[in-house]
Amino acid sequence: MAHKHEYRVDLTWKEDRKGEVSSPELSDIIETATPPDFPKGIPNIWSPEHFLVAAVESCLMTTFLAIAENSKLEFVSFKSQAIGKLDKVDGKFQMTEIILKPVLEISNENNAERAKRILDKSEKACLISNSIKSKIILEPKIVIASVV
């Protein structure tokens, strides 16, 4: 696998503070807009802020899936919640921190510590987290699946 990759994203302004994001590599088109926290922002549409937080969170998941597979860690489910905190720093808005709250369900209680280590390793190896200056806070939760 080559070390350098490119990912093309196209953007077309539509109206007001709204546009559409697409890629020639993908079939979906996603609306994007200024978030409602800002002047003329539009509610219920993905914003750049949402995309940034989602990029970090989805990178955690995909990195975890690869490391878990390589480590032969069996799990039942993976869900996550992420919270991005936007603040003004030196007069400029910036995403100061992103809190990742993955919930990993495993069936074997004996794998709980190992599962937590794999989640920690996944966050440290996440290329998106490593590409931004926001502080990343990992708050993992390991749940043991109930046997019915």
Side-chain angles (χ1 to χ4, degrees):
M1 189 163 135
H3 290 286
K4 290 186 179 184
H5 306 279
E6 291 185 353
Y7 300 89
R8 183 173 152 192
V9 175
D10 299 329
L11 178 77
T12 304
W13 170 75
K14 290 302 195 182
E15 62 185 0
D16 301 322
R17 299 283 175 103
K18 184 168 37 174
E20 290 179 343
V21 177
S22 62
S23 173
E25 302 154 9
L26 305 169
S27 58
D28 292 339
I29 295 173
I30 303 170
E31 269 192 324
T32 186
T34 303
D37 311 305
F38 292 92
K40 297 186 182 179
I42 304 170
N44 302 315
I45 297 178
W46 280 83
S47 69
E49 293 81 357
H50 288 104
F51 283 131
L52 178 64
V53 175
V56 173
E57 186 173 37
S58 59
C59 186
L60 173 68
M61 181 196 73
T62 57
T63 306
F64 167 77
L65 293 174
I67 294 173
E69 182 180 324
N70 291 336
S71 303
K72 298 188 179 9
L73 174 70
E74 292 183 20
F75 62 96
V76 177
S77 68
F78 177 99
K79 292 181 181 179
S80 184
Q81 179 185 64
I83 302 162
K85 296 196 176 182
L86 186 71
D87 202 355
K88 234 179 196 178
V89 178
D90 297 328
K92 296 179 185 177
F93 281 108
Q94 136 182 356
M95 197 66 69
T96 55
E97 64 183 40
I98 298 173
I99 303 166
L100 300 171
K101 298 181 174 194
V103 178
L104 182 64
E105 185 179 12
I106 60 175
S107 55
N108 185 345
E109 191 174 353
N110 295 331
N111 284 335
E113 269 308 308
R114 188 165 153 252
K116 183 174 179 329
R117 281 195 310 272
I118 290 172
L119 279 169
D120 289 340
K121 185 176 180 180
S122 300
E123 189 282 313
K124 287 176 179 48
C126 171
L127 70 95
I128 303 296
S129 295
N130 291 332
S131 299
I132 62 173
K133 62 183 181 180
S134 305
K135 179 179 180 181
I136 307 298
I137 300 168
L138 184 67
E139 296 178 357
K141 182 176 179 184
I142 309 296
V143 177
I144 310 305
S146 57
V147 180
V148 179

